Amino acid sequence: MKKVSIIVPTYNEEESLPHFYEEMCKVIDSLSNEYDFEMLFINDGSKDNTLNILDQLRKKDPRVNYIDMSRNFGKEIGMLAGFDYVRGNCAITIDADLQEPPSVIPEMLRKWEDGYDDVFGKRRLREQSVFKKSTSKLFHEIIRKLSDIEVDSESGDFRLLDRKCIEALKTLRETQRYTKGMYSWIGFNKTYVEYDISKRVAGKTKWNFRKLLHLAVNGITSHSVMPLKLASLIGVVTSFVAFIYMIYIIIKAIIYGDPVAGFPTLMTVILFLGGFILLALGIIGEYLGRIFVETKRRPPYFVNSINGCNPMDFKNN
Ligand code: UDP
Ligand code: MG
């Protein structure tokens, strides 16, 4: 029987977890004579009762597995830990808050059986604020323009991945991750299923504007060097304009003499160029910072326990 793993990144989800488990069980119980299921929860350094709940679920149901991270590493790293530890022939990543309905999993599995390697969920309707919707749309538009990867603004991390894709994703070990771009970057045979996104079943979102902005910058800088190219392009254009202007000034000075004037012009040019130089430096700095972090070659995460046991015990066996 084929094994199907469900990867669930969880951070402070004590309220959603019981609902999630119940809903998920409905789906996997109905498929239990076709597939062998495993649930892998990644406890991403939760500060509430999440770990205890996972432990209780594990005691009750051997299909439940959990990895307790040594601290909060963020959802992107949490998913990497999931990819590292799952054993299934395919894995489905899903959030713990039931915004993504487990009921479309059978359809995903059918598409997988049809030979697709990456079946992603596409949102039909988004119950989100206009602000979040439009910034998300803008960001995806920018990333599409800047890099050659195709990222769909209506798709998220809810997807089924074949073993091939999991093994590919495991080799991408950068710590500054934008997993949505990676799915696209690795390629393979993709298709989608549509679903309706719902409100969080309980608890509240862990994303704030700062975190989303960080993810957006990660997304752009880890998949494209276009901002650097843009900076040098603007540099070329300004020096060209400056050169023409210089010739104009010299000729004007020769013909009409050189009375000291033009303070406003001078100020404008200095401020504009100064601002642009700082911006270009900032862009370079953004990339430099990322290079610095990656050259340390630190492992992306550490594991505190696996199913309540010390991870070192697993290494020795
Ligand atoms: N999550 C995580 N680590 C974090 C933040 C979030 O593992 O640092 C998990 C969270 O428990 C949830 C999923 O990532 O299962 C998506 O988070 P959330 O629902 O808060 O994001 P949203 O759906 O609002 O974008
Ligand atoms: Mg959510």
Side-chain angles (χ1 to χ4, degrees), residues 146-147 220-232 283 287:
L146 289 186
S147 55
I220 293 170
T221 52
S222 63
H223 289 281
S224 161
V225 290
M226 207 45 140
L228 290 172
K229 285 189 186 158
L230 229 66
S232 47
I283 294 174
Y287 282 93

Side-chain angles (χ1 to χ4, degrees), residues 31-43:
L31 291 166
S32 60
N33 39 21
E34 289 167 68
Y35 300 102
D36 186 11
F37 282 96
E38 137 187 272
M39 285 185 231
L40 179 62
F41 291 90
I42 319 295
N43 177 35

Side-chain angles (χ1 to χ4, degrees), residues 9 11 13 44 72 75 95-97 99 200 205-207:
Y11 175 55
E13 298 283 6
D44 191 13
N72 177 262
K75 182 186 172 185
D95 288 353
D97 55 9
Q99 282 192 290
R200 255 183 169 273
T205 179
K206 275 91 205 169
W207 293 97

Side-chain angles (χ1 to χ4, degrees), residues 4 6 19-35 37 39 63 92 94 98 100-109 158:
V4 177
I6 317 269
H19 301 283
F20 175 83
Y21 176 74
E22 199 181 315
E23 284 297 311
M24 189 51 88
C25 280
K26 274 188 210 156
V27 174
I28 64 181
D29 287 344
S30 69
L31 291 166
S32 60
N33 39 21
E34 289 167 68
Y35 300 102
F37 282 96
M39 285 185 231
R63 291 174 303 185
I92 297 165
I94 184 168
L98 287 179
E100 297 149 349
S103 52
V104 298
I105 288 178
E107 199 187 337
M108 285 180 152
L109 287 167
F158 179 32

Side-chain angles (χ1 to χ4, degrees), residues 24-301:
M24 189 51 88
C25 280
K26 274 188 210 156
V27 174
I28 64 181
D29 287 344
S30 69
L31 291 166
S32 60
N33 39 21
E34 289 167 68
Y35 300 102
D36 186 11
F37 282 96
E38 137 187 272
M39 285 185 231
L40 179 62
F41 291 90
I42 319 295
N43 177 35
D44 191 13
S46 299
K47 291 177 186 70
D48 63 0
N49 213 16
T50 302
L51 187 62
N52 280 336
I53 296 175
L54 289 176
D55 198 47
Q56 279 157 24
L57 288 177
R58 162 77 190 171
K59 288 201 176 106
K60 194 169 75 177
D61 184 348
R63 291 174 303 185
V64 172
N65 294 283
Y66 65 91
I67 293 173
D68 185 32
M69 308 280 267
S70 62
R71 65 169 169 87
N72 177 262
F73 284 94
K75 182 186 172 185
E76 305 289 316
I77 301 269
M79 286 195 295
L80 174 66
F83 298 141
D84 285 342
Y85 284 90
V86 281
R87 288 165 295 184
N89 299 95
C90 73
I92 297 165
T93 46
I94 184 168
D95 288 353
D97 55 9
L98 287 179
Q99 282 192 290
E100 297 149 349
S103 52
V104 298
I105 288 178
E107 199 187 337
M108 285 180 152
L109 287 167
R110 270 197 300 279
K111 297 250 163 134
W112 177 52
E113 296 288 356
D114 287 347
Y116 290 101
D117 303 311
D118 177 354
V119 187
F120 58 92
K122 209 170 172 158
R123 290 176 276 245
R124 237 185 247 127
L125 184 137
R126 296 181 95 184
E127 289 195 7
Q128 278 180 333
S129 65
V130 179
F131 177 70
K132 197 170 175 187
K133 234 187 215 168
S134 47
T135 45
S136 153
K137 208 161 171 186
L138 177 73
F139 164 66
H140 287 98
E141 202 50 49
I142 292 176
I143 208 161
R144 222 194 318 264
K145 289 260 157 65
L146 289 186
S147 55
D148 42 0
I149 56 165
E150 198 49 50
V151 181
D152 197 327
S153 70
E154 296 309 309
S155 76
D157 291 316
F158 179 32
R159 56 179 70 216
L160 181 150
L161 297 161
D162 185 72
R163 192 29 71 188
K164 279 190 280 190
C165 301
I166 300 169
E167 291 303 322
L169 289 167
K170 273 162 74 174
T171 60
L172 310 182
R173 306 216 58 89
E174 56 240 59
T175 44
Q176 323 251 329
R177 300 177 79 79
Y178 176 64
T179 317
K180 233 165 108 173
M182 293 179 174
Y183 299 131
S184 169
W185 188 82
I186 58 169
F188 296 109
N189 208 355
K190 294 182 197 308
T191 188
Y192 65 89
V193 295
E194 286 192 307
Y195 71 95
D196 292 310
I197 193 156
S198 33
K199 286 220 162 72
R200 255 183 169 273
V201 61
K204 54 176 192 281
T205 179
K206 275 91 205 169
W207 293 97
N208 50 32
F209 184 69
R210 192 179 56 83
K211 274 194 187 170
L212 279 175
L213 189 69
H214 185 74
L215 184 70
V217 174
N218 260 355
I220 293 170
T221 52
S222 63
H223 289 281
S224 161
V225 290
M226 207 45 140
L228 290 172
K229 285 189 186 158
L230 229 66
S232 47
L233 185 73
I234 296 175
V236 169
V237 172
T238 22
S239 10
F240 182 70
V241 173
F243 184 70
I244 306 273
Y245 190 57
M246 181 186 84
I247 292 178
Y248 164 75
I249 288 179
I250 290 176
I251 293 177
K252 207 175 108 184
I254 291 172
I255 299 176
Y256 298 105
D258 183 24
V260 179
F263 180 71
T265 328
L266 212 63
M267 258 338 247
T268 323
V269 170
I270 287 177
L271 287 179
F272 171 74
L273 282 185
F276 174 68
I277 290 168
L278 285 181
L279 178 73
L281 270 180
I283 294 174
I284 297 171
E286 205 54 57
Y287 282 93
L288 190 70
R290 265 146 235 278
I291 295 170
F292 167 67
V293 170
E294 298 301 344
T295 47
K296 287 198 263 188
R297 296 201 147 272
R298 290 190 180 171
Y301 63 89

Side-chain angles (χ1 to χ4, degrees), residues 6-20:
I6 317 269
I7 301 175
V8 196
T10 39
Y11 175 55
N12 293 350
E13 298 283 6
E14 58 179 1
E15 289 163 89
S16 334
L17 269 181
H19 301 283
F20 175 83

